[in-house]
Amino acid sequence: MLRELLDKAALEDFVGGLARALGMRFAVYDSQGTLITASPPRSAYALQVGALPDQLPRPLEFTAVPADEPPARLAFVQHASAWYIVAPVFAGQQAAGYIGLGEYRLAGTRWEHAAGLAEDASTVRQGKAWEALPELSRTGDTAGVHAVRWASRQLSQRCRQEAQLDAASEELSLISDIGELLSGEQNLQRLLERIVGETARVMRCPYCSLRLYDANTDELRVAAVHGLSERYVSKGAILRRENPIDDIALRGNVVYIENVQADERVRFKEAARQQGLVSGLTVGMLYHGRPVGVLRVYTDVRRQFRASQRHVLRSVASQAAVAIVNARLAEERLRAARMERQIELAGQLQRRMVRARPPAFDGVSLAFVFEPTWHIGGDFCDFLILPDGRLAAVVVDVVGHGVPASLLMAYVRGALRAQAQQCSDLGAILTALNRQLCRETESAEFVTMLIVAVSPDRRRLYYCNAGHEPLALLRDGRTTPASDGGLALGIQEDERFCEHALELAAGDFVLLYTDGATEAMDYQGAAYGRERLLEALRQHGDLAPDWALRAVHWDIRRFVGLAEQTDDLTMVGLRIVSVA
């Protein structure tokens, strides 16, 4: 499990840093006790013998060791006359792997007894090296025990964070899936069936149903189900006014039912018992405040739902309402949305989308930094090859945070890519994208965007700015901001955007960034600011783009210290290596 949660390079860096700091040897093992990676030998004994267990004994015998902090049980493993302290690494309640620290010698033993080898020059040297090893202590108050416990806690925390990210990413994949459904599915029934199937999968619920609301008759009729029997769904239409759960949901609330079979608000308790329904969650599907239907998920065991899961279900219901209205009223709009919302399905997660490798482009070196404040955020950057052969880079900042912002981000990314596939003019791309956002989103939902394009000969930089932070051009130690631009996207439908151009020269460095860089604040509430950002660029801009962005990012971190940040941070750097 540790192999799936943390990549080997990160583990190598972790044990290498510990080994250099403490002068000991660290090794990481998977849940089966098989060696993943280890730091180089540190002791003279290890350099001579190369002792290191490739496989931990099964089962490991753990010993309770007094401690103020976890883990409370450690294993002491002998291998080739040396001893190792081994601590478990947890992901939740499950052991994901182990971390070992060595080498030690057992107190009260002699080399001859421990090694069982004849006396020759080699064994004498090994014996002296063995005797120089620190003595193994099984108490809780030793440097080695403290070190391996600390390392275990750090890896366990990383595993928990990655597991939480995987869960959030899986929930985000549903949002991406629904976004794709809204843009690509014209058949309403197939759309609804896919929504309930994907909702049940990501919510980890065996049952899901979707009822459509008829305002003329006040009826709610089953339109799609997942996992429910024909007998259960054959009850027919129900009236909103006779079902308080549906009425509350259609007023914009998420309704939790701990026990469907006992809740007085549930009409069909016996049918729920026969189906095996226990806990449930119901949310209304609303379009601009108008009720469209209700979406429900049920479990077969009693269960609470996390706040993030409730937000996901609400987002799905909102998107489903849009899909239903669009399918009924605008078939042409559905076809356009299908082209504009081209995002990959399950597995196309937000961090992986943003961290995709930029396309190769002669004479230009690219790098970027992406740091959301939460596991999911509203910033993103992307790289495209336009139809006319220019390399385009874009940074975007979506209003808000969390699931709603990430949903709008997925929409914007899909729409941007769709526009860029058929148009090369940056102004035309932003003009069309702005018109769509004005028609499809609420007035408080807007996006700032800066898109640039490098000509194939690398002699000109084209850019178009929609309410975003201006790009910075570094040349010969001087920075020049390019402030031309228009309003943010999604504010004024008739806004027209224009493409501007700058001359480029070999060695130029172009920096794009979101306001998470300039508005990063320290504990006193002082912002990092654009001037500090440009000064950091001047200091580090002669480095390769990757190292330059790292240095600027570190300068921002140094400024804010441990102050909690509330905005995502994204930067893109382009180095003009040569011109044609």
Side-chain angles (χ1 to χ4, degrees):
M1 188 175 182
L2 191 60
R3 295 179 186 269
E4 288 75 30
L5 292 173
L6 301 176
D7 62 69
K8 187 175 180 181
L11 293 173
E12 289 174 347
D13 184 62
F14 180 75
V15 297
L18 286 176
R20 288 189 296 272
L22 300 177
M24 300 292 285
R25 194 176 192 186
F26 285 82
V28 179
Y29 299 84
D30 63 17
S31 58
Q32 303 301 313
T34 303
L35 179 67
I36 299 177
T37 187
S39 61
R42 307 292 298 185
S43 66
Y45 177 77
L47 289 169
Q48 294 182 49
V49 179
L52 185 71
D54 293 329
Q55 180 71 47
L56 296 176
R58 299 285 302 276
L60 273 175
E61 295 183 4
F62 286 95
T63 303
V65 178
D68 295 330
E69 295 180 304
R73 298 170 63 84
L74 303 175
F76 300 91
V77 177
Q78 184 183 15
H79 180 78
S81 302
W83 285 80
Y84 297 84
I85 307 173
V86 178
V89 175
F90 290 99
Q93 301 298 318
Q94 183 180 0
Y98 307 91
I99 184 163
L101 168 65
E103 293 79 12
Y104 293 90
R105 62 181 176 85
L106 191 62
T109 60
R110 295 170 54 86
W111 164 250
E112 294 81 5
H113 172 74
L117 299 172
E119 290 289 344
D120 57 27
S122 175
T123 57
V124 168
R125 288 194 301 273
Q126 293 177 10
K128 290 181 179 180
W130 180 84
E131 291 172 354
L133 293 176
E135 290 187 353
L136 176 68
S137 173
R138 299 173 189 262
T139 66
D141 193 25
T142 65
V145 169
H146 282 304
V148 77
R149 276 178 166 157
W150 181 89
S152 167
R153 290 194 298 273
Q154 295 302 307
L155 287 180
S156 297
Q157 182 180 13
R158 287 283 302 278
C159 288
R160 286 194 299 272
Q161 291 171 344
E162 290 299 322
Q164 291 169 358
L165 176 60
D166 287 345
S169 296
E170 189 174 10
E171 293 168 355
L172 181 60
S173 74
L174 174 61
I175 296 174
S176 297
D177 289 344
I178 299 302
E180 176 66 21
L181 290 173
L182 296 184
S183 64
E185 183 60 75
Q186 296 180 6
N187 183 282
L188 176 60
Q189 188 57 44
R190 287 199 301 267
L191 171 68
L192 298 178
E193 289 173 356
R194 291 183 68 182
I195 287 175
V196 295
E198 291 297 306
T199 301
R201 176 182 66 83
V202 174
M203 297 292 290
R204 295 181 174 87
C205 294
Y207 312 110
C208 182
S209 71
L210 189 153
R211 285 180 177 265
L212 295 179
Y213 177 65
D214 187 337
N216 295 324
T217 62
D218 201 39
E219 290 180 337
L220 285 156
R221 291 185 176 274
V222 175
V225 299
H226 175 84
L228 294 169
S229 66
E230 183 65 30
R231 180 179 179 182
Y232 182 83
V233 301
S234 64
K235 299 186 298 298
I238 59 177
L239 296 177
R240 172 183 176 178
R241 60 180 175 271
E242 296 177 357
N243 288 271
I245 292 175
D246 298 324
D247 185 60
I248 294 171
L250 289 173
R251 295 179 188 274
N253 302 296
V254 179
V255 182
Y256 169 65
I257 310 169
E258 184 177 7
N259 188 347
V260 177
Q261 302 174 22
D263 196 301
E264 291 300 323
R265 300 171 296 176
V266 176
R267 289 187 60 192
F268 306 107
K269 298 184 184 64
E270 179 59 25
R273 186 192 63 79
Q274 294 176 0
Q275 182 68 55
L277 309 183
V278 181
S279 297
L281 209 60
T282 301
V283 63
M285 297 183 295
L286 306 175
Y287 181 79
H288 294 305
R290 191 177 76 234
V292 175
V294 293
L295 185 63
R296 315 176 193 269
V297 290
Y298 297 105
T299 66
D300 51 8
V301 295
R302 190 162 298 190
R303 170 182 162 190
Q304 297 285 338
F305 290 89
R306 302 192 310 271
S308 64
Q309 292 175 313
R310 302 185 187 205
H311 291 324
V312 166
L313 190 60
R314 188 195 295 272
S315 296
V316 172
S318 176
Q319 291 301 104
V322 174
I324 294 166
V325 171
N326 287 349
R328 288 171 172 172
L329 302 178
E331 182 177 350
E332 182 178 352
R333 176 182 172 276
L334 278 176
R335 287 195 296 266
R338 183 173 62 247
M339 297 176 60
E340 297 157 358
R341 297 184 56 101
Q342 294 297 319
I343 55 177
E344 298 180 1
L345 298 175
Q348 186 79 41
L349 311 177
Q350 186 185 39
R351 286 177 178 267
R352 294 177 184 172
M353 286 193 298
V354 174
R355 291 176 179 171
R357 183 183 298 275
F361 197 80
D362 289 342
V364 179
S365 179
L366 300 169
F368 64 91
V369 168
F370 172 65
E371 186 178 80
T373 53
W374 296 350
H375 288 316
I376 51 178
D379 279 12
F380 78 90
C381 61
D382 206 355
F383 302 91
L384 307 162
I385 299 296
L386 299 176
D388 62 2
R390 291 184 296 173
L391 168 68
V394 59
V395 289
V396 178
D397 190 353
V398 175
V399 65
H401 303 281
V403 171
S406 67
L407 179 61
L408 185 55
M409 182 279 286
Y411 174 85
V412 172
R413 182 179 185 272
L416 170 66
R417 287 202 160 211
Q419 292 292 340
Q421 288 175 0
Q422 56 189 346
C423 179
S424 297
D425 183 85
L426 305 184
I429 292 173
L430 264 62
T431 298
L433 188 56
N434 174 68
R435 186 163 51 248
Q436 293 179 238
L437 287 174
C438 288
R439 294 173 179 176
E440 301 296 335
T441 62
E442 299 292 339
S443 59
E445 296 171 340
F446 57 89
V447 177
T448 69
M449 179 181 297
L450 173 60
I451 183 169
V452 303
V454 180
S455 61
D457 61 6
R458 286 89 64 196
R459 291 185 177 275
R460 292 179 70 83
L461 177 76
Y462 302 87
Y463 67 94
C464 193
N465 192 327
H468 200 82
E469 294 286 337
L471 67 86
L473 174 64
L474 175 67
R475 177 182 297 168
D476 299 328
R478 295 188 298 274
T479 55
T480 303
S483 303
D484 298 311
L487 294 175
L489 302 178
I491 294 179
Q492 185 172 322
E493 184 173 347
D494 60 357
E495 178 77 1
R496 293 294 182 267
F497 295 89
C498 298
E499 182 178 274
H500 304 275
L502 292 172
E503 297 296 327
L504 291 176
D508 285 355
F509 189 100
V510 180
L511 176 66
L512 318 180
Y513 55 93
T514 61
D515 58 11
T518 56
E519 296 179 2
M521 293 187 179
D522 62 12
Y523 270 115
Q524 286 70 44
Y528 184 71
R530 190 178 299 168
E531 287 305 317
R532 286 191 179 92
L533 180 66
L534 296 179
E535 178 59 29
L537 177 61
R538 286 189 288 268
Q539 290 181 7
H540 307 292
D542 58 340
L543 300 174
D546 185 41
W547 287 103
L549 293 187
R550 290 186 189 182
V552 173
H553 190 199
W554 173 250
D555 193 66
I556 296 173
R557 284 186 170 182
R558 178 194 56 77
F559 174 82
V560 302
L562 298 178
E564 183 178 358
Q565 302 303 301
T566 59
D567 202 0
D568 309 323
L569 187 154
T570 303
M571 294 187 293
V572 172
L574 300 88
R575 166 80 67 196
I576 307 303
V577 179
S578 63
V579 296

